[in-house]
Amino acid sequence: MAITKEQLIEKLNLDLSHEYGAAVQYTYSAAAVSGLYRPALKPLFEEEITDELGHALYLAEKIKSLGGVPTTKVAEVPQPDQVKDILNEIVKAESDTIVRYKQRMEEAEELGLTELVIKLEDMIADETGHKEEMERILQDPHFK
Ligand SMILES: [Fe+2]
Ligand SMILES: [Fe+2]
């Protein structure tokens, strides 16, 4: 059965809460990262906050345009203290977001929301970039 606009709005609100969560996760990670990797990772994490808030701004506007009420709920974010765990949690969150956006693209397509489909594709590209960057850092022998 085809998705309704109301169901899509509900799912976009879940996505929005995870974008807020992503901004919180990078903020937490920038503050929590310690040791030799701190000078490299702190600015990297800080940069991602802007990207995630940009995604949140877009989704909130889109939800309102579709007739919904944008959520102010923030998704649950883990608080690991080891650098390796911080990076792994980010990879996991970015991977989950990519899966959600691929599904959302199909649903937006069903409803003929072409602009949303294209924007979701852009966001998948952003999240994939974030994920791959963290995976490459995790290739350091220190994290094996
Ligand atoms: Fe994002
Ligand atoms: Fe991201």
Side-chain angles (χ1 to χ4, degrees):
M1 213 173 85
I3 189 170
T4 66
K5 194 176 80 169
E6 287 65 33
Q7 287 167 332
L8 179 70
I9 288 169
E10 207 173 302
K11 290 179 173 200
L12 289 172
N13 261 325
L14 175 75
D15 299 331
L16 176 56
S17 74
H18 279 282
E19 287 295 350
Y20 289 140
V24 169
Q25 186 168 26
Y26 282 116
T27 302
Y28 169 82
S29 301
V33 66
S34 59
L36 207 53
Y37 290 87
R38 180 168 170 77
L41 293 181
K42 185 179 180 280
L44 179 69
F45 292 150
E46 285 174 349
E47 266 173 42
E48 313 290 29
I49 299 167
T50 319
D51 273 12
E52 307 302 4
L53 285 178
H55 297 162
L57 278 169
Y58 170 78
L59 288 174
E61 290 289 341
K62 182 51 68 180
I63 289 161
K64 186 68 190 171
S65 298
L66 290 170
V69 179
T71 190
T72 52
K73 286 201 178 73
V74 183
E76 204 71 50
V77 177
Q79 293 166 290
D81 54 19
Q82 297 302 308
V83 181
K84 185 182 175 180
D85 299 333
I86 289 173
L87 289 164
N88 275 319
E89 288 295 346
I90 292 173
V91 169
K92 185 177 178 299
E94 295 287 4
S95 302
D96 291 348
T97 299
I98 292 163
V99 170
R100 271 198 314 277
Y101 286 165
K102 282 182 180 164
Q103 196 200 351
R104 216 62 75 236
M105 267 183 81
E106 286 173 23
E107 293 159 347
E109 186 82 65
E110 266 183 58
L111 290 171
L113 301 168
T114 309
E115 185 269 350
L116 178 57
V117 173
I118 293 166
K119 190 69 192 185
L120 284 162
E121 195 173 53
D122 283 351
M123 295 201 291
I124 289 172
D126 288 347
E127 314 300 19
T128 303
H130 298 159
K131 175 175 163 277
E132 288 178 351
E133 191 67 22
M134 301 307 152
E135 283 172 340
R136 289 179 65 181
I137 296 165
L138 278 164
Q139 281 169 11
D140 187 303
H142 179 81
F143 297 125
K144 298 292 172 205

